[in-house]
Amino acid sequence: MYAQERHEAIARLVTQRGRVAVSDLADTFEVTTETVRRDLGALERAGLLRRVHGGAVPVAALSSLERSLAERDSARAEQKERIAKAAVGLLPSSGGTIILDGGTTTARLAARLPLDRRLSVVTNSIPAAVALTGVEGIRLDLLGGRVRGTTQACVGDPTVQALSVLHVDVAFLGTNGLSAAGGLTTPDPEEAAVKRSMVTAADRRVLLADSSKVGQNYLVRFAHLGSIDVLVTDDELSPEQLGPIEATGVEVIRA
């Protein structure tokens, strides 16, 4: 097979499978891994795929576009409800402190906080703050900053500065994408900076993410997967998806 034919075949496989590994391509085309890496480099320069650690994904898999909050909230609603319900069991005892990140699943957790437990809640999420305003037993602190219309979450230097002096028991985080190699990623640099500060501010970090996020990679990484203590997800992860995640030391709870 000529190099051009191999390039065309690799591009088709990436489109069909969504992700390909260097080692698998080397076996398929009976060439060295070094040859495959050169092929992937040429295809990336041509705009036909994006290289990731150990392989390649379609260009669309690294999209910088975000759907609106309403669109994301309605997607996989049942799974998000189950994840939020399971996350209640990870809340600290009465008198504890938590951070609630922006996001549709964390907002569902806000609506499920137990009424018989005193908690101090810090959040940059407008929907979460609305859900918790006036709730007995909840001390609510809304982080300031610029409100992003897409996520309805506060971002920017004031948000990051406020987080830099905080110390909480548990941070409940959201993400746009997660993978063992790529870590936790989001399209917006300001959102990433806030999430990174939330990771630093907490003794324990809990990620709420349905299985559709697994294998997705976006523009900015805000944490390595190994910096998360617990991933709460749904029951649709395959063994092939679950294995690399658990290998990083993250406890996985499937709701």
Side-chain angles (χ1 to χ4, degrees):
M1 179 180 288
Y2 293 110
Q4 183 60 39
E5 294 174 315
R6 190 172 61 248
H7 289 179
E8 293 173 0
I10 290 173
R12 284 196 300 270
L13 284 175
V14 171
T15 300
Q16 292 166 0
R17 297 180 183 177
R19 185 185 182 103
V20 293
V22 169
S23 57
D24 291 342
L25 292 174
D27 291 340
T28 298
F29 297 104
E30 298 181 342
V31 295
T32 66
T33 54
E34 289 77 12
T35 297
V36 171
R37 291 189 180 95
R38 287 196 295 270
D39 291 343
L40 295 181
L43 289 165
E44 183 175 47
R45 288 191 295 273
L48 297 175
L49 53 75
R50 288 288 181 267
R51 297 176 69 181
V52 295
H53 181 75
V57 296
V59 174
L62 291 173
S63 171
S64 63
L65 298 176
E66 292 177 275
R67 293 180 295 169
S68 71
L69 190 69
E71 287 177 311
R72 288 185 288 115
D73 188 52
S74 62
R76 300 178 66 80
E78 179 184 344
Q79 290 87 343
K80 291 175 182 178
E81 282 292 339
R82 296 203 309 266
I83 291 168
K85 183 177 180 180
V88 171
L90 300 173
L91 289 166
S93 58
S94 189
T97 54
I98 68 171
I99 285 173
L100 282 179
D101 188 11
T104 56
T105 310
T106 48
R108 289 171 187 268
L109 173 59
R112 284 182 168 272
L113 293 187
L115 301 179
D116 60 349
R117 195 177 315 186
R118 292 183 299 104
L119 292 172
S120 292
V121 180
V122 177
T123 187
N124 68 327
S125 167
I126 302 301
V130 170
L132 294 172
T133 298
V135 175
E136 187 175 353
I138 298 295
R139 171 184 165 170
L140 176 64
D141 287 287
L142 177 61
L143 296 166
R146 179 179 65 84
V147 179
R148 287 194 71 217
T150 304
T151 59
Q152 295 182 28
C154 295
V155 297
D157 288 340
T159 320
V160 172
Q161 287 298 319
L163 285 164
S164 69
V165 297
L166 294 183
H167 175 230
V168 302
D169 297 315
V170 187
F172 292 92
L173 301 157
T175 188
N176 293 81
L178 74 99
S179 68
L184 310 181
T185 55
T186 190
D188 184 74
E190 287 189 305
E191 290 265 11
V194 171
K195 291 174 183 291
R196 196 174 295 119
S197 297
M198 289 179 172
V199 169
T200 303
D203 283 338
R204 196 169 193 225
R205 293 154 289 273
V206 178
L207 181 67
L208 309 184
D210 69 80
S211 57
S212 70
K213 308 289 182 66
V214 177
Q216 299 295 314
N217 292 282
Y218 288 80
L219 181 64
V220 188
R221 180 171 60 203
F222 63 88
H224 293 285
L225 191 51
S227 64
I228 299 300
D229 298 293
V230 184
L231 165 64
V232 187
T233 186
D234 55 54
D235 58 359
E236 298 176 17
L237 282 180
S238 68
E240 292 75 20
Q241 292 174 307
L242 187 61
I245 294 172
E246 292 184 322
T248 67
V250 178
E251 176 188 354
V252 179
I253 296 174
R254 289 181 284 179

